Amino acid sequence: MADFEIKDLRASVEGKQILKGVTLAINKGEVHAVMGPNGSGKSTLSHTLMGHPGYTVDGGEVIFKGQNVLALEVDERARLGMFLALQYPVVVPGISMTNFLRTALNAKRGYDGKDKSKQISPKEFRSMLKGELEVLHMDDSFLPRYINDGFSGGEKKRAEILQMAMLKPEIAILDETDSGLDIDSIKFVAEAVNRMRGPELGVLIITHYTRILEFIKPDFVHVLVDGKFVLSGGPEIANRLEKTGYAEWGEADEPKEVA
Amino acid sequence: MATVPKVDVGTDYKEKYGFSVPEDYIFKAKRGLNPEIVKEISWMKKEPEWMLNFRLKSLEIFRKKPMPNWGADLSVIDFENIFYYLKASDKQSTSWEDLPPDIKKTYDRLGVPEAERKFLAGVSAQYESEVVYHSLHEDLSKKGVIFTDTDSALRDHPELFKEYFGTVIPPADNKFSALNSAVWSGGSFIYVPKGVRVDIPLQAYFRINAENMGQFERTLIICDEGSFVHYIEGCTAPIYTTDSLHSAVVEIIVKKNARCRYTTIQNWSTNVFNLVTKRALAYGDATMEWVDGNLGSQITMKYPSVYLMEPGAKGDVLSVAFAGKGQHQDAGGKMIHVAPNTTSTITSKSISKGGGRTSYRGHIKMYPGANNSKSFVKCDALLLDDESRSDTYPYNDVDAENVTLGHEATVSKVSDEQLFYLMSRGITRSEAETMIVNGFIEPFTKELPLEYAVELNRLIQLEMEGSVG
């Protein structure tokens, strides 16, 4: 039994079936890439795994730490050890990134505003934050700013990665983290993820393009077409896609970003 | 799975603010309103005759004026069932230790003495009708700053008092200013001499304890030329099944180059009708700022206003209203541009939850000759569910030339995307909602001294978590 098992997952959006039976087993220490053309269901997969209310589960299960996470609330999934880096991180005015990070960390520790012993101390929080920023080679200039408010595309993705580093998930889903980023930002994100790679973390990278996979070498690659995996294997699949695209499944979409 | 214990805000308000202590009063006037009660109040206070006549005339005006037929529904107020004057202690103290034990206990539970020690330059505590405690830092009184209760000011500073009292808000201004003028008691009197800056805030704490109590404090603030003061008021009351009435009048004069900031954190229990008239006159290059936070109460009608009397005067209203189940917050602001080159802004933020109703009601008037003036109004409403309601009633009268008048209004809901994002980091739904609301009112909160900002965020959290009681 793998650490994180997706079994025959089927899901729909506004009554339209998008995922038509996805099965995938991820172990901690592994990096899986899911690739697919536009409309194949990549975003539906990431959002359904995390429990976004706009996506309806029609069948299947997702087993993590002995629980079917599909029955859990979004926040419960997160506290269990799941993390989703969003393609489009959301703006929340009036709340600083620092406050957000601290609140999220406290939530993860089970602090509910009552039992102060579970609360992270200001000193501990500061030193942890400083440490992660150093490891990620990030400056702290965006921390006093409101959540994602006025952030550039690159800043948003950096902020997502910082949240991941602070919350230390066991299963991280990176949803099109590379889209819209310049090559320097892609390298930065990739290096950060590579640093976090290890026996305690399983990663699911969802991407349209092969480029990020030049920097984060996946152990497994799965091709998603029309809501189903049509091909699974090792990193060589990414190379094959780079050459032939999604054409063999009747998709004209190119897996390479046009420079 | 971690579970979040539910906080029942009804219980919590009761514990923290909503308690009451036994009535062991020096004097309690009979219920109801008539000339005899008014005479009795004036007699108890040993007032000069002109004040008694002022009160009796105001009572007549109150009788003649019809109830406002706009705004919130006030028809349920029974003026004959209210106690208009309650005196709980026979003297005013300058030490908390000297207060009657029940009253001292009340303020201890509310944390007022602690706040005074930590971050206030002066404190006034009004219990029912009278101010029972008073203090002011010695260096401020040496500089000539007067901070006292309004009754004492009438006695101790009669000339200053008579020069300004009732000049900003005459009794005939509206039905409730007339009522206040007839039965007023307590409130703060502040005079800041020329060029004196009071850098640490002064605070007044208004407490209603008895059932069916009417509290009618009267506040008068005079900022002489080039001075500055920040005055903060807080208000709470016990939870009763029948109604209480709070109807204050606040008059402020901000002279040339002076600045006054008046901050309110009102947290009345939901059986209180809160009908307050607040108005300031701002002279040349003076600045008046109303920072007005309205939580609690059953109905609030309050529109702090600034009359911009001379060129360069500036007026700001920054307000927040939170209406839960059974509450109607009808709030806003008025800016009256009398002189040219005057500027004003009104920023109103409202939150409605559980069927609560908020209304923004504002008036911008630019008289002929108030040329080259500017005004900007921004109202943002946040609805937390489908049963709640928010309305906007902006009134603009512009008779001046070359003016700029802007109005922006938004109504929004807590978005699924924001909730999902915060929850995907492990934050519970209720905490995520509270964060979004606190973020929404952050432009207001950031204007408060830190201790009050923390307290306001906590109050919002209680309102959000409980089934508002």
Side-chain angles (χ1 to χ4, degrees):
Chain A
M1 172 112 188
D3 292 323
F4 188 82
E5 286 206 19
I6 304 169
K7 293 182 188 168
D8 195 27
L9 181 61
R10 278 162 288 133
S12 55
V13 180
E14 288 167 358
K16 187 173 180 238
Q17 200 183 359
I18 307 288
L19 293 185
K20 299 172 180 171
V22 169
T23 297
L24 178 62
I26 302 173
N27 281 300
K28 289 199 273 184
E30 295 172 354
V31 174
H32 291 247
V34 169
M35 300 190 62
N38 283 334
S40 59
K42 299 192 297 295
S43 278
T44 302
L45 177 60
S46 64
H47 285 78
T48 305
L49 290 175
M50 205 67 217
H52 189 287
Y55 298 79
T56 310
V57 174
D58 299 319
E61 52 184 18
V62 177
I63 306 296
F64 179 40
K65 296 185 179 175
Q67 294 194 53
N68 181 8
V69 302
L70 298 178
L72 302 179
E73 291 291 332
V74 179
D75 56 314
E76 293 168 333
R77 299 182 200 199
R79 291 196 299 272
L80 199 61
M82 290 174 66
F83 182 89
L84 170 64
L86 285 173
Q87 182 178 4
Y88 303 109
V90 180
V91 174
V92 186
I95 303 289
S96 71
M97 285 303 298
T98 311
N99 183 351
F100 177 37
L101 286 168
R102 189 187 299 113
T103 308
L105 264 179
N106 278 329
K108 181 135 197 194
R109 291 166 163 234
Y111 173 65
D112 54 16
K114 297 262 185 270
D115 182 359
K116 297 256 187 218
S117 69
K118 289 183 179 164
Q119 196 179 13
I120 188 164
S121 74
K123 196 178 162 196
E124 193 184 352
F125 177 71
R126 270 197 307 275
S127 88
M128 185 177 175
L129 190 54
K130 193 162 169 268
E132 296 300 344
L133 286 167
E134 262 171 33
V135 171
L136 297 173
H137 300 289
M138 279 167 83
D139 70 52
D140 57 1
S141 59
F142 63 81
L143 291 176
R145 289 160 64 189
Y146 299 152
I147 301 172
N148 297 316
D149 194 14
F151 285 27
S152 69
E155 282 175 326
K156 282 183 183 169
K157 301 299 165 75
R158 282 170 161 81
E160 293 291 285
I161 296 301
L162 177 63
Q163 291 166 45
M164 178 175 158
M166 292 288 282
L167 292 170
K168 309 221 177 317
E170 293 164 63
I171 296 294
I173 305 156
L174 309 182
D175 187 8
E176 310 252 5
T177 297
D178 51 334
S179 70
L181 286 191
D182 57 46
I183 193 74
D184 286 343
S185 295
I186 291 181
K187 274 186 186 165
F188 171 88
V189 167
E191 281 169 17
V193 172
N194 285 334
R195 274 188 216 103
M196 286 185 254
R197 258 176 112 152
E200 292 310 310
L201 176 66
V203 180
L204 181 59
I205 297 175
I206 293 177
T207 180
H208 184 98
Y209 305 111
T210 52
R211 197 169 53 172
I212 194 168
L213 303 182
E214 292 169 23
F215 305 105
I216 306 176
K217 290 291 172 204
D219 302 303
F220 303 94
V221 177
H222 315 271
V223 181
L224 186 69
V225 174
D226 193 23
K228 278 179 145 167
F229 287 141
V230 290
L231 182 65
S232 286
E236 72 283 352
I237 290 179
N239 301 333
R240 177 170 144 196
L241 283 178
E242 188 158 10
K243 292 194 186 81
T244 62
Y246 299 110
E248 57 186 288
W249 299 282
E251 298 280 343
D253 242 353
E254 284 293 320
K256 270 198 279 190
E257 198 158 24
V258 181
Chain B
M1 243 181 299
T3 52
V4 179
K6 281 280 174 228
V7 179
D8 181 345
V9 74
T11 316
D12 199 89
Y13 187 99
K14 199 164 186 173
E15 199 178 287
K16 184 128 204 276
Y17 312 105
F19 61 90
S20 62
V21 297
E23 290 180 30
D24 179 16
Y25 291 163
I26 304 298
F27 181 80
K28 186 168 184 174
K30 289 198 187 79
R31 284 181 201 265
L33 185 61
N34 52 57
E36 278 56 54
I37 296 278
V38 170
K39 283 179 195 160
E40 204 165 36
I41 293 171
S42 190
W43 179 82
M44 288 288 295
K45 292 173 177 294
K46 302 189 182 69
E47 287 179 343
E49 203 182 340
W50 75 267
M51 184 54 79
L52 174 62
N53 292 336
F54 175 89
R55 289 179 181 277
L56 290 170
K57 208 178 122 207
S58 300
L59 180 62
E60 272 175 46
I61 297 169
F62 170 73
R63 288 250 162 98
K64 282 184 200 143
K65 276 207 179 270
M67 287 290 262
N69 58 359
W70 48 274
D73 178 13
L74 303 177
S75 61
V76 288
I77 300 177
D78 180 359
F79 290 103
E80 295 308 316
N81 191 41
I82 289 168
F83 293 104
Y84 286 85
Y85 184 72
L86 291 185
K87 186 171 181 173
S89 173
D90 57 352
K91 65 174 172 101
Q92 200 184 98
S93 302
T94 51
S95 153
W96 294 105
E97 301 309 317
D98 292 345
L99 288 177
D102 280 336
I103 298 181
K104 178 177 182 295
K105 213 187 308 166
T106 298
Y107 286 107
D108 279 340
R109 279 181 77 169
L110 297 170
V112 180
E114 194 192 348
E116 179 186 8
R117 276 195 300 278
K118 284 186 182 160
F119 51 83
L120 294 168
V123 168
S124 169
Q126 177 157 349
Y127 193 83
E128 315 291 23
S129 300
E130 295 285 354
V131 171
V132 294
Y133 171 83
H134 211 277
S135 76
L136 177 67
H137 275 194
E138 205 179 324
D139 57 321
L140 290 175
S141 47
K142 276 184 188 155
K143 283 179 187 165
V145 174
I146 301 169
F147 176 40
T148 184
D149 67 282
T150 309
D151 293 287
S152 299
L154 171 61
R155 204 165 46 240
D156 302 337
H157 308 281
E159 281 167 24
L160 199 55
F161 187 98
K162 212 172 168 182
E163 186 181 347
Y164 295 104
F165 182 86
T167 60
V168 182
I169 304 172
D173 189 80
N174 65 73
K175 190 170 179 76
F176 290 92
S177 65
L179 177 63
N180 176 284
S181 298
V183 297
W184 74 270
S185 181
S188 298
F189 179 91
I190 298 173
Y191 173 76
V192 189
K194 270 186 194 171
V196 173
R197 294 183 56 84
V198 183
D199 288 320
I200 308 172
L202 305 176
Q203 178 169 10
Y205 202 99
F206 295 94
R207 175 70 181 175
I208 291 177
N209 180 63
E211 194 163 8
N212 301 132
M213 170 65 195
Q215 193 174 54
F216 305 95
E217 90 268 11
R218 181 98 190 185
T219 287
L220 178 57
I221 299 175
I222 303 140
C223 289
D224 216 328
E225 293 181 7
S227 67
F228 168 70
V229 70
H230 183 188
Y231 172 80
I232 303 174
E233 61 172 358
C235 327
T236 60
I239 299 165
Y240 290 118
T241 51
T242 57
D243 303 329
S244 294
L245 175 60
H246 175 255
S247 187
V249 164
V250 176
E251 299 179 284
I252 299 180
I253 294 110
V254 196
K255 295 198 178 176
K256 217 174 153 190
N257 291 316
R259 178 174 156 226
C260 177
R261 170 170 283 206
Y262 190 111
T263 298
T264 303
I265 305 292
Q266 164 213 311
N267 186 27
W268 293 116
S269 53
T270 50
N271 54 295
V272 174
F273 285 89
N274 185 47
L275 310 164
V276 173
T277 310
K278 289 180 165 171
R279 186 177 302 159
L281 306 182
Y283 290 93
D285 296 312
T287 300
M288 176 66 212
E289 299 161 333
W290 297 103
V291 180
D292 201 40
N294 298 301
L295 284 87
S297 81
Q298 183 174 150
I299 285 174
T300 286
M301 285 174 72
K302 180 163 48 160
Y303 323 97
S305 62
V306 184
Y307 281 60
L308 303 151
M309 306 297 289
E310 289 179 355
K314 192 167 176 290
D316 282 322
V317 170
L318 178 57
S319 73
V320 162
F322 191 114
K325 189 181 174 194
Q327 292 177 274
H328 185 179
Q329 304 275 9
D330 197 285
K334 293 189 217 174
M335 291 293 172
I336 314 298
H337 294 253
V338 182
N341 300 307
T342 48
T343 54
S344 65
T345 58
I346 297 175
T347 309
S348 159
K349 299 241 165 199
S350 71
I351 301 142
S352 316
K353 177 176 184 269
R357 182 176 171 193
T358 57
S359 311
Y360 166 78
R361 194 178 300 276
H363 186 190
I364 305 295
K365 180 158 181 72
M366 292 182 174
Y367 276 100
N371 301 336
N372 308 312
S373 291
K374 287 180 193 154
S375 181
F376 188 73
V377 177
K378 191 173 188 331
C379 322
D380 297 321
L382 184 64
L383 299 175
L384 296 184
D385 49 52
D386 292 331
E387 346 151 53
S388 299
R389 175 175 167 184
S390 175
D391 307 283
T392 306
Y393 306 96
Y395 303 95
N396 298 324
D397 287 320
V398 177
D399 298 310
E401 286 163 22
N402 194 26
V403 300
T404 312
L405 180 61
H407 180 95
E408 225 176 68
T410 65
V411 179
S412 53
K413 292 190 171 184
V414 171
S415 89
D416 281 347
E417 296 306 321
Q418 288 178 333
L419 273 179
F420 172 72
Y421 187 58
L422 297 178
M423 289 173 73
S424 77
R425 301 308 184 239
I427 298 166
T428 60
R429 178 178 297 273
S430 81
E431 191 164 11
E433 282 179 347
T434 303
M435 280 177 91
I436 292 166
V437 170
N438 279 333
F440 173 73
I441 63 164
E442 195 269 353
F444 178 89
T445 319
K446 76 176 181 202
E447 293 298 323
L448 300 176
L450 180 66
E451 294 79 5
Y452 295 84
V454 170
E455 177 69 5
L456 184 69
N457 281 351
R458 216 190 59 81
L459 292 175
I460 294 280
Q461 191 180 355
L462 292 176
E463 297 270 4
M464 294 294 297
E465 282 173 353
S467 50
V468 175

